[in-house]
Amino acid sequence: DSVSGRISRADVAELCVASLSSKAAFDTTFECYDADTAKPLESVGLSNLLGQRNPTSAKTGKERRSATGDWPAIFDGLLA
């Protein structure tokens, strides 16, 4: 892991339910977090304590984003 962030319980629940019907998500491990909370691991503790939500440049290069909850597009290309 090189990046960490926060995500709401409601978003985790939606993600979990959507992944159950996705062949692309089967037998994979993936991370999920709100894009505006992603931080390099060395700064995670402080940003979490302060509840920071700022645009970030912390990226792994494997991110998938969707404002509409397009789960098939987000799950497409996950590596098992």
Side-chain angles (χ1 to χ4, degrees):
D1 293 347
S2 61
V3 176
S4 183
R6 295 183 317 273
I7 185 169
S8 73
R9 287 183 178 122
D11 288 344
V12 170
E14 184 178 349
L15 174 70
C16 289
V17 170
S19 72
L20 292 173
S21 62
S22 170
K23 288 182 182 180
F26 178 77
D27 204 24
T28 61
T29 300
F30 52 90
E31 296 181 23
C32 54
Y33 49 82
D34 185 319
D36 290 338
T37 66
K39 303 285 183 224
L41 286 180
E42 60 271 5
S43 65
V44 170
L46 182 59
S47 68
N48 282 343
L49 284 173
L50 299 175
Q52 294 175 333
R53 296 180 65 92
N54 302 350
T56 182
S57 61
K59 296 182 180 171
T60 65
K62 298 180 182 179
E63 285 80 8
R64 306 277 192 293
R65 296 180 186 212
S66 174
T68 62
D70 183 5
W71 297 114
I74 291 172
F75 294 143
D76 188 40
L78 290 174
L79 303 174

